[in-house]
Amino acid sequence: MANYTFIDRYFESQRALLRLDTIEEHDVNSLFTYLNNLHSTADKLKELFDCNIKDYPDFKLLRIIRNYFHHVGDVDDIRMIVSIEENVHFDRVQHLIIPLETFAKSIRSFIDNSMVPENHKQYQKKLKFVSKEMASISECYSYNSDILTNMEVCCNKPSLKLDGEVYELGFDMYRFVFNVTNLIAERCRAIEELACNPIVMELGEEYSISNNIDRIDMFCTPDKMPITTTQGMIYARKVELAI
């Protein structure tokens, strides 16, 4: 009887990455391990069970970061509890933040590696593919088009001066990890060989696509609009360009 331990590796690495009791402890390997296990899980689900999660926008976004991490450069992350102020509501309790610069560089690396020169016979086909992938990612990340429009700025440590102090802008990965985990859980329950796996059977009912966090996951009044930085959410009264 096959054990299908790739599923165990996925859920164990996801738990290790997002466990609340270790939120103040930084493990330099957790994000790298999780992203590689996510990549492997998608491959094996497709190969063994013809179950495709690779078209899911959240997965595509995380895969782009994984490929940058695996092939190009490091991805530094920080986890913290969501900071809540009066008249602010978040549909999550913690952040998994990387520099916005890193995410922008991941997007640029994907585009550079996917495209060919304009005079190449495959140019239009490649352009159509890249455009489709970027449109898909924009379905789950509202500011993707802003990054594409301002790529050079976003790839060079984008920062703002908030109440007189300069902060580097951040990108919160938590929602995408949370949502793709719910997707994988549902797919596993629907596959007979995986549904009986103890780690799948132990998953609570909250592991469901119906509990996924929407693209708009924060509600606040105009005077309480937080800005995501590499130091968490900053509720600034005065926002200026960092020069």
Side-chain angles (χ1 to χ4, degrees):
M1 180 178 177
N3 291 324
Y4 303 118
T5 54
F6 70 93
I7 290 298
D8 297 83
R9 287 195 298 272
Y10 175 79
F11 284 108
E12 287 176 5
S13 64
Q14 185 267 342
R15 289 172 179 173
L17 178 64
L18 298 182
R19 278 176 54 185
L20 282 172
D21 62 340
T22 62
I23 199 164
E24 295 182 358
E25 304 169 12
H26 183 258
D27 184 339
V28 71
N29 292 312
S30 291
L31 180 58
F32 186 79
T33 300
Y34 167 77
L35 291 173
N36 279 332
N37 281 331
L38 172 62
H39 189 271
S40 174
T41 296
D43 285 343
K44 288 182 169 60
L45 285 174
K46 179 63 177 173
E47 175 187 347
L48 298 175
F49 304 106
D50 195 27
C51 174
N52 183 23
I53 67 168
K54 296 182 180 183
D55 289 336
Y56 196 66
D58 298 68
F59 174 83
K60 290 183 178 183
L61 185 150
L62 293 173
R63 179 176 57 191
I64 282 176
I65 298 172
R66 179 265 176 191
N67 288 344
Y68 178 86
F69 206 165
H70 194 78
H71 299 292
V72 182
D74 287 332
V75 177
D76 298 319
D77 66 281
I78 182 170
R79 290 194 302 139
M80 62 183 67
I81 296 293
V82 169
S83 174
I84 301 294
E85 292 202 359
E86 188 178 1
N87 298 323
V88 177
H89 171 77
F90 277 100
D91 287 339
R92 47 193 156 94
V93 296
Q94 66 169 297
H95 298 296
L96 174 62
I97 296 174
I98 65 174
L100 181 62
E101 175 188 42
T102 302
F103 180 61
K105 286 182 174 180
S106 300
I107 293 288
R108 184 173 66 181
S109 176
F110 166 76
I111 294 172
D112 289 347
N113 289 328
S114 299
M115 288 303 299
V116 293
E118 216 170 324
N119 59 357
H120 194 285
K121 65 179 181 180
Q122 292 289 315
Y123 176 76
Q124 288 300 327
K125 181 179 179 180
K126 296 287 187 180
L127 180 61
K128 183 178 180 180
F129 167 72
V130 169
S131 298
K132 181 181 177 182
E133 294 300 286
M134 289 300 101
S136 182
I137 287 173
S138 295
E139 291 179 20
C140 67
Y141 181 55
S142 303
Y143 301 109
N144 192 47
S145 60
D146 295 323
I147 291 176
L148 295 172
T149 304
N150 302 283
M151 184 64 75
E152 195 60 34
V153 172
C154 291
C155 286
N156 286 279
K157 201 173 182 178
S159 303
L160 288 174
K161 185 180 286 188
L162 307 176
D163 292 337
E165 185 174 346
V166 175
Y167 290 88
E168 182 180 357
L169 298 181
F171 173 80
D172 194 347
M173 296 175 58
Y174 178 84
R175 172 163 55 93
F176 311 107
V177 175
F178 181 88
N179 287 355
V180 83
T181 298
N182 288 341
L183 172 71
I184 291 171
E186 284 208 355
R187 296 296 185 267
C188 287
R189 292 192 187 105
I191 298 170
E192 184 178 353
E193 295 91 334
L194 301 179
C196 59
N197 184 308
I199 203 166
V200 175
M201 295 176 69
E202 291 169 5
L203 297 175
E205 293 182 358
E206 68 273 14
Y207 284 85
S208 167
I209 293 177
S210 63
N211 290 328
N212 274 6
I213 301 171
D214 291 334
R215 184 169 65 169
I216 298 176
D217 60 352
M218 177 196 68
F219 302 91
C220 63
T221 55
D223 63 321
K224 288 289 186 178
M225 182 69 70
I227 294 173
T228 307
T229 77
T230 54
Q231 298 180 47
M233 291 297 211
I234 303 298
Y235 297 84
R237 293 183 178 274
K238 186 177 182 180
V239 180
E240 303 172 276
L241 294 176
I243 300 176

